[in-house]
Amino acid sequence: MEGLAPAGVLLLLAWPLAGWLANGLLGRRLGRIGPGLIGSAAVAGSFATALGLLAAYRALGPEAGPIPVPLGAWFGAGALVVDASLLVDPLALTMALVVSGVGFLIHVYAIGYMAGDPHPARFFAYLNLFVFAMLLLVTAGNLLVLFVGWELVGVCSYLLIGFWFDRPAAATAGRKAFVTNRVGDAAFLLGLFLLFTSVGSLDILKVGEAASALPGGVRLAAALLLFAGATGKSAQIPLHVWLPDAMEGPTPVSALIHAATMVTAGVFLIARLGGLFLATPGAMAVVAVLGALTAFFAATVALRQHDLKRVLAYSTISQLGYMFVAMGAFAPAAGMFHLVTHAFFKALLFLAAGSVMHAMHDVIDVRRLGGLARPLRQTALGFVVGGLALAGVPPFAGFFSKDLILEHAFALGMATGNYLPYLLGLLTAFVTAVYITRAALLTFSGRPAEPGARPHEAPPVMLWPMALLAVLSVAGGGLGARAAGEPLLRFLEPALPHPDGALAGVHAPAGPLMVLSVAVAAAGVALGWTLHRGRRDPALGALGGVLEQRWYIDALYEAALLRPARALGRWLAGPVDLGAIDALVNGVGRGLARLGADVRRWQTGYARQYALGVLAGTVLILVFWMLR
């Protein structure tokens, strides 16, 4: 129990916070390598602390349950009294291990990747603050504390995506991410206000206990508002548009955002408030269907992207859709399992893409790559391992978690008649195998598209994190595989709610569904190989044009929202502000100035004139009183 004392839990947060302070205050004195070493050591400290907390928690036995860690009163305002608190349970520990473990590998990789950057201290300070914010979010015991971490994650993403702010595209991408997330965050806040007025507390455990007793309309409204916040952070339709542009940041940032931190926050939020969502079947149906639509939409867009990192970005949006399908199918443990495996193979894919950029002097367009399998053998092997895991090919990790989600989605269809999430999920698995095969072939196979290039393999400091992630991308499936005893699923079980009613006794035919899943993945790889071997890249006709333009959703936003907003802004700034408001204020000022000039003419300094004025005034007053 000692390892779960407040000091032990606070130490988890203190490590990256200390790294942020050290790099922020002393960064210029640390040289080129010092900031990376300090930043990596700080996250390693959090990972070691998380392992210690895990051991202490397991030592308490299966009856431990969630353990609140009170930190004292935070503030009070009228009826709103907030006590700052953290919460230790299997869900928080799992997320802490993923964030700090994968985050540590990305920090080590970044030492090599950012070796030539002139501002390493600022970069690693931002990375450490990002990890701190995410750890605060996942260990929060109060929804308002969680919201602080939620917003701090958004601030850090803005700083990191726009790290190279002298590049217009990076600065614009940072602003786009910040503004888009504010839309979801506004809904999140409304959900918090509604929960407080209904429950009287923002304590996560109290909200979970009171959820089933709330009126149905209140539950539905609160759940949908919180889900709207989750769609912003986790880039689901219609708030997905910021994530592909986030590729303008350094590749370690892309890996950290897409694999282990920010984009998983929305999935975690629904799992953490599972009691509220499980008691609201209408909201769960929205979560499942929207997740399935997002998964399919993003996978199709990835088919015709030419920037390798954008392919992976749309892949992340798609895989997050799978996680939301799991949440909506009343299977949060399956969604968390896929979150963990996805962290492994998606971080690996992004780091491999960064290695390609490092070798090709920032060239990332697959049309300008090719022939890299020989000079970048280890990078190519890492990308293939990550790609096979993403495609859901056994025995790689992604197969087990994706297959489990599809199984629960089929069970949802058996119970409710809504097979759309399953069908779209299965079709998405096929498309996923096609686009990742295309990306691998265009990048690594055939002859170089630019024969004059001299690519070189990444240094060991970048290769070792990729190697460890490759091992996890292969072996990580054992965390939830039935043959291995499903250790992760069993560990998470006490922290997550269980469905009752129609879904409680429904069991999908696991064997036939698994065979079908493998056949779909194999068919996708085969089609991708057939279409793109020899570095061919068929345009796919009119459909290819639609996909290349991302189903014209960005263009729709530009026409329907951005252009009218800019026109309104110009009108308010011009005719309204300058032409009306400023003209009125300036006119009053000019009128008073003229009045003052006129009055000043009467101030001559002659006593005779002043006496005449007094006499005239006296006469006027007497006449007034006489005529009343």
Side-chain angles (χ1 to χ4, degrees):
M1 190 68 181
E2 183 179 351
L4 291 176
V9 183
L10 286 174
L11 186 61
L12 179 72
L13 304 175
W15 282 108
L17 195 60
W20 168 63
L21 288 171
N23 275 318
L25 298 176
L26 306 174
R28 294 183 179 180
R29 305 176 185 177
L30 299 175
R32 292 282 185 180
I33 195 71
L37 295 176
I38 289 177
S40 301
V43 182
S46 285
F47 182 64
T49 303
L51 288 174
L53 291 172
L54 174 65
Y57 185 86
R58 292 181 67 88
L60 299 177
E63 69 282 352
I67 301 177
V69 181
L71 302 178
W74 185 8
F75 70 88
L80 176 61
V81 179
V82 177
D83 293 325
S85 65
L86 303 178
L87 183 64
V88 177
D89 68 347
L91 184 60
L93 290 171
T94 299
M95 288 296 298
L97 287 167
V98 171
V99 170
S100 58
V102 177
F104 167 68
L105 296 177
I106 293 171
H107 273 69
V108 173
Y109 174 95
I111 294 175
Y113 188 88
M114 301 296 290
D117 192 89
H119 304 291
R122 178 163 60 90
F123 179 77
F124 283 99
Y126 290 167
L127 280 187
N128 276 181
L129 186 62
F130 203 169
V131 172
F132 163 77
M134 193 66 192
L135 290 174
L136 177 64
L137 190 158
V138 301
T139 57
N142 182 289
L143 285 172
L144 206 56
V145 177
L146 187 151
F147 187 72
V148 171
W150 185 277
E151 288 298 286
L152 190 54
V153 164
V155 171
C156 293
S157 70
Y158 166 76
L159 296 173
L160 287 167
I161 293 169
F163 179 76
W164 290 319
F165 55 84
D166 53 340
R167 304 178 183 179
T172 300
R175 289 195 302 270
K176 187 174 183 178
F178 193 82
V179 172
T180 305
N181 274 274
R182 297 292 74 72
V183 177
D185 293 352
F188 188 112
L189 271 177
L190 292 175
L192 291 190
F193 296 155
L194 181 57
L195 282 177
F196 177 75
T197 56
S198 304
V199 178
S201 173
L202 291 175
D203 183 271
I204 288 175
L205 295 179
K206 292 180 180 178
V207 169
E209 293 169 357
S212 59
L214 294 175
V218 172
R219 281 202 314 268
L220 180 62
L224 291 179
L225 286 169
L226 294 171
F227 174 60
T231 61
K233 276 291 183 287
S234 294
Q236 299 294 283
I237 294 174
L239 300 179
H240 66 282
V241 292
W242 67 270
L243 193 58
D245 289 353
M247 298 302 96
E248 296 296 336
T251 297
V253 173
S254 303
L256 194 62
I257 289 177
H258 287 244
T261 55
M262 181 171 175
V263 296
T264 62
V267 179
F268 169 80
L269 176 67
I270 295 180
R272 174 56 83 201
L273 296 176
L276 172 65
F277 281 89
L278 197 66
T280 317
M284 295 295 267
V286 173
V287 172
V289 171
L290 192 63
L293 290 171
T294 301
F296 177 70
F297 156 78
T300 59
V301 173
L303 282 170
R304 288 302 302 160
Q305 296 302 300
H306 303 299
D307 184 305
L308 181 59
K309 287 174 66 176
R310 280 185 177 267
V311 172
L312 299 179
Y314 279 103
S315 168
T316 297
I317 297 172
S318 181
Q319 296 303 304
L320 289 165
Y322 270 118
M323 298 174 206
F324 280 103
V325 168
M327 296 298 166
F330 301 85
M336 293 302 300
F337 178 30
H338 194 58
L339 185 154
V340 172
T341 61
H342 177 260
F344 298 153
F345 63 72
K346 186 53 61 66
L348 173 60
L349 287 168
F350 268 110
L351 297 190
S355 180
V356 169
M357 291 183 69
H358 184 268
M360 296 296 292
H361 307 289
D362 290 339
V363 173
I364 199 64
D365 190 325
V366 293
R367 294 169 295 187
R368 298 176 57 191
L369 300 176
L372 297 179
R374 186 182 297 269
L376 305 182
R377 289 186 179 87
Q378 292 161 292
T379 295
L381 178 60
F383 192 92
V384 170
V385 169
L388 290 171
L390 172 64
V393 175
F396 297 90
F399 161 73
F400 295 97
S401 54
K402 180 209 68 178
D403 182 69
L404 186 61
I405 290 174
L406 291 177
E407 181 182 325
H408 283 286
F410 192 86
L412 177 69
M414 292 173 61
T416 65
N418 180 16
Y419 285 95
L420 182 63
Y422 172 76
L423 294 174
L424 284 177
L426 192 65
L427 188 56
T428 300
F430 173 77
V431 178
T432 301
V434 175
Y435 74 67
I436 197 61
T437 303
R438 168 184 177 264
L441 290 174
L442 294 182
T443 304
F444 296 102
S445 71
R447 296 180 178 180
E450 297 185 358
R454 295 183 178 275
H456 55 87
E457 186 61 276
V461 72
M462 295 171 64
L463 291 176
W464 278 111
M466 292 167 57
L468 290 173
L469 288 168
V471 171
L472 292 170
S473 298
V474 176
L479 293 172
R482 292 184 177 89
E486 301 178 333
L488 177 62
L489 303 182
R490 293 182 182 277
F491 178 62
L492 287 171
E493 185 177 4
L496 299 171
H498 303 284
D500 52 12
L503 270 171
V506 176
H507 300 286
L513 291 176
M514 182 181 295
V515 172
L516 180 59
S517 179
V518 173
V520 165
V525 172
L527 180 60
W529 182 275
T530 302
L531 290 175
H532 302 288
R533 63 181 177 179
R535 299 197 72 255
R536 292 178 296 172
D537 194 19
L540 303 181
L543 176 61
V546 172
L547 299 182
E548 205 161 330
Q549 293 300 319
R550 304 175 292 279
W551 292 94
Y552 292 99
I553 290 181
D554 288 62
L556 175 64
Y557 285 179
E558 176 72 24
L561 298 176
L562 298 182
R563 288 179 190 167
R566 293 192 194 104
L568 177 62
R570 286 192 293 268
W571 179 71
L572 291 174
V576 174
D577 190 24
L578 293 177
I581 298 175
D582 277 12
L584 177 62
V585 173
N586 293 336
V588 171
R590 284 192 293 268
L592 291 174
R594 284 195 296 268
L595 178 62
D598 292 339
V599 171
R600 206 163 40 242
R601 294 194 187 102
W602 290 87
Q603 305 302 315
T604 62
Y606 291 109
R608 296 189 303 273
Q609 181 178 332
Y610 298 156
L612 179 62
V614 171
L615 178 61
T618 303
V619 170
L620 288 174
I621 292 173
L622 289 173
V623 170
F624 171 77
W625 282 101
M626 290 173 64
L627 296 178
R628 286 185 62 189

